[in-house]
Amino acid sequence: EVQLVQSGAEVKKPGQSLRISCKGSGYSFTSYSISWVRQMPGKGLEWMGRIDPTDSYTDYSPSFQGHVTISTDRSISTAYLQWSSLKASDTAMYYCARLVAAANTDYFDYWGLGTLVTVSS
Amino acid sequence: QSALTQPASVSGSPGQSITISCTGTSSDVGSYNLVSWYQQHPGKAPKLMIYEGSKRPSGVSNRFSGSKSGNTASLRISGLQAEDEAEYHCCSYAGSSTWVFGGGTKLTVL
């Protein structure tokens, strides 16, 4: 069974750093990219970026480029989303999702349950 | 790269049909047949309902169907049921290995 297990909720202060994780199981982790998706309170989904675990190549949405870092550790089938200096506006639920991408097809077929990040002084 | 445009809310009675639109541009929805739709119940993770514009994953009811015309994709739900009440999000490939979501549509089953 394919599963994406995300790390637990976090409460941080502005300016602090944070790394959240997403561990894949039940499939070959290097065969699919992992994307991160933000959902601010009461809002829609926003695609942040993705990483190919094979070579750690990343693509970012222009809206998030330079604000977050996506990385992976293939040895433990885990992808990460990292901030060096959090802001209150980073308060949101963050989902990881498995990306099926090939010629003429792409979609997010499995999702983690989300990690709630709260940034407050 | 702007979010796709969806109506904030739609509603329908049990047994009726509803359609949710998702309008993009010639750089995303209009250029690729790669629109997907996700259902999200409150407090839950999104669930894939439609991919490649009109294909259903295994296990998704055939009451859900998708289509596209020009820069606008649509999700149709027929025979509305109480459990269909949820938020629905569209997503399109936007070129250069980037994707864009819509703002989400809250479906209320009256």
Side-chain angles (χ1 to χ4, degrees):
Chain A
E1 177 192 10
V2 173
Q3 285 190 310
L4 296 175
V5 178
Q6 296 189 229
S7 49
E10 301 274 1
V11 179
K12 293 288 188 179
K13 296 185 185 304
Q16 290 186 322
S17 63
L18 174 65
R19 189 178 75 169
I20 62 175
S21 65
C22 170
K23 181 176 176 61
S25 63
Y27 72 101
S28 173
F29 187 70
T30 54
S31 295
Y32 299 86
S33 288
I34 292 290
S35 274
W36 286 95
V37 177
R38 182 175 79 174
Q39 187 168 36
M40 300 179 77
K43 301 297 184 181
L45 304 174
E46 300 173 89
W47 183 79
M48 302 175 69
R50 67 105 173 229
I51 188 163
D52 183 340
T54 302
D55 56 10
S56 294
Y57 185 83
T58 52
D59 292 290
Y60 291 93
S61 162
S63 300
F64 293 93
Q65 179 88 49
H67 297 289
V68 297
T69 301
I70 297 173
S71 60
T72 186
D73 185 339
R74 288 180 299 172
S75 68
I76 55 172
S77 301
T78 299
Y80 301 98
L81 177 65
Q82 182 174 330
W83 295 260
S84 59
S85 180
L86 286 161
K87 304 175 183 177
S89 57
D90 293 318
T91 294
M93 181 72 83
Y94 293 87
Y95 293 100
C96 63
R98 191 177 81 162
L99 171 64
V100 176
N104 300 316
T105 190
D106 68 65
Y107 49 92
F108 305 99
D109 63 344
Y110 287 92
W111 294 67
L113 295 181
T115 295
L116 181 62
V117 174
T118 303
V119 184
S120 175
S121 54
Chain B
Q1 191 179 58
S2 299
L4 307 177
T5 300
Q6 297 182 235
S9 63
V10 298
S11 63
S13 299
Q16 289 186 331
S17 298
I18 64 96
T19 298
I20 299 172
S21 62
C22 170
T23 301
T25 69
S26 58
S27 297
D28 39 60
V29 175
S31 286
Y32 308 97
N33 198 30
L34 294 174
V35 173
S36 50
W37 290 89
Y38 303 86
Q39 177 191 63
Q40 186 180 30
H41 287 109
K44 301 296 186 182
K47 173 188 175 184
L48 176 68
M49 304 301 284
I50 295 287
Y51 66 99
E52 291 177 31
S54 61
K55 296 181 179 179
R56 283 187 307 276
S58 174
V60 172
S61 171
N62 60 8
R63 296 185 299 104
F64 291 83
S65 61
S67 62
K68 191 188 86 166
S69 177
N71 296 338
T72 298
S74 299
L75 173 70
R76 184 173 187 267
I77 309 174
S78 60
L80 272 178
Q81 299 179 2
E83 59 261 35
D84 298 333
E85 184 163 297
E87 188 98 3
Y88 290 85
H89 308 270
C90 63
C91 179
S92 175
Y93 181 65
S96 302
S97 295
T98 65
W99 285 261
V100 61
F101 282 92
T105 297
K106 179 175 173 55
L107 168 62
T108 300
V109 180
L110 302 170

